[in-house]
Amino acid sequence: MQRKLMVVGNWKMNKVYVEGLILANTVMAGLEKFRRPIQIVLCPPFIHLQTVASMYKEHPQLAVGAQNCYQAPQGAYTGEVSAAMLRSVGVEYVIIGHSERREQFNEKHPILAEKLKSAIAAGLQPIFCCGEWLAVREAEDQEAFVQQQLEESLFGLSEEEFSKVIIAYEPVWAIGTGLSASPEQAQAMHRFIRNLIAEKYGDNSAQNTTILYGGSCNAENAAALFAQADIDGALVGGASLKAEDFLQIVEQRAAIFQY
Ligand code: PGA
């Protein structure tokens, strides 16, 4: 898979049906002015997926992602949704390993490794999140921490499987806090991640992997982040809930066109 310029909106658990429709529609309408090949992915709650996927079907720049999937393909798992089910309604991406799921739903490395494999087997592209806690950053252990996250779930994939993966570096201390990582901090970690990929899967894979930054990304700080050589785009939470804010971030990504 080739490296892409990408902006992903993670709505988390927000927007009832009609609100979601309006937001997805406004984002689509606002895209008419972007001619550059930017991939925009909206990740709404499950109830919106089928509708938004069908709205976006004809638009090559737009795609839909889920925020989670279950690791087993089917069966007696009350309340869960499989990767194949997501794919069957037109979903193309799935976020895996978001820090909120790691923390609040106790998702550990082995489960995330299974989720990655099942998502890819079903034809979804995983957006794999990694990133350190504040205490880890304060102890300056962030690189070892992220390396372990990658090694224990992501690097179990074959080279072919890995080629489907998008990585999102999201320092936990920056998520929803208004305190984004500085462009230099983010770039340093993105470069570190790319180097780890090069060691594991080779230079070609490293150069072709899309690595997004996430954590309080907004219209004010996006341009400086996107100007960094190893930051291909953003995974946006809070600012994806308003079409205008989200589109401004897309516009910043389009303005700095690297490849
Ligand atoms: P935020 O969330 O942009 O609200 O910080 C990002 C995320 O959790 O993906």
Side-chain angles (χ1 to χ4, degrees):
M1 209 69 60
Q2 239 201 321
R3 194 164 159 187
K4 287 181 190 159
L5 300 178
M6 195 175 221
V7 181
V8 182
N10 174 11
W11 294 4
K12 308 192 179 180
M13 198 178 74
N14 292 291
K15 306 291 178 191
V16 297
Y17 189 68
V18 175
E19 293 168 339
L21 270 187
I22 296 170
L23 178 52
N25 237 317
T26 319
V27 168
M28 187 163 69
L31 275 183
E32 298 309 324
K33 59 182 170 175
F34 302 116
R35 292 280 164 251
R36 291 193 169 138
I38 293 179
Q39 179 69 66
I40 294 149
V41 183
L42 290 193
C43 300
F46 288 126
I47 61 142
H48 299 289
L49 291 171
Q50 184 169 10
T51 313
V52 182
S54 59
M55 276 166 60
Y56 285 6
K57 211 169 169 186
E58 305 303 325
H59 207 305
Q61 283 181 272
L62 286 166
V64 177
Q67 297 171 17
N68 180 34
C69 67
Y70 195 63
Q71 56 271 28
Q74 76 273 308
Y77 303 102
T78 303
E80 294 294 337
V81 175
S82 76
M85 290 172 185
L86 296 171
R87 193 69 201 99
S88 75
V89 294
V91 171
E92 293 180 58
Y93 294 85
V94 59
I95 298 174
I96 290 179
H98 191 282
S99 63
E100 286 153 18
R101 293 214 57 92
R102 290 176 189 264
E103 191 192 2
Q104 297 165 34
F105 301 94
N106 207 26
E107 293 190 356
K108 306 274 185 240
H109 302 310
I111 287 180
L112 299 178
E114 281 185 57
K115 289 192 180 208
L116 284 165
K117 281 202 175 274
S118 356
I120 295 165
L124 295 173
Q125 279 194 257
I127 300 169
F128 179 78
C129 302
C130 57
E132 78 285 355
W133 302 92
L134 182 59
V136 176
R137 168 69 59 170
E138 283 172 349
E140 297 182 11
D141 274 339
Q142 65 272 12
E143 291 191 347
F145 187 90
V146 168
Q147 180 165 359
Q148 194 186 13
Q149 288 181 319
L150 299 187
E151 282 174 352
E152 296 207 10
S153 20
L154 195 56
F155 287 174
L157 298 176
S158 68
E159 195 177 335
E160 168 65 21
E161 288 169 327
F162 182 78
S163 71
K164 308 286 190 287
V165 174
I166 313 290
I167 295 177
Y169 168 57
E170 298 206 304
V172 184
W173 47 271
I175 296 178
T177 58
L179 181 77
S180 162
S182 69
E184 295 73 26
Q185 285 171 322
Q187 165 58 24
M189 184 59 84
H190 282 228
R191 173 59 56 89
F192 176 71
I193 291 171
R194 216 178 281 288
N195 287 342
L196 291 176
I197 300 168
E199 278 169 32
K200 170 77 189 166
Y201 296 105
D203 282 343
N204 210 24
S205 292
Q207 283 318 314
N208 282 322
T209 303
T210 303
I211 309 180
L212 311 175
Y213 167 78
S216 298
C217 179
N218 56 38
E220 280 73 52
N221 59 29
L225 289 160
F226 296 155
Q228 305 299 315
D230 289 289
I231 301 184
D232 302 309
L235 175 52
V236 183
S240 72
L241 296 174
K242 281 201 193 133
E244 197 184 310
D245 296 354
F246 185 67
L247 286 165
Q248 276 180 28
I249 296 174
V250 174
E251 199 170 344
Q252 307 282 351
R253 180 60 288 189
I256 309 167
F257 187 58
Q258 291 176 341
Y259 20 85

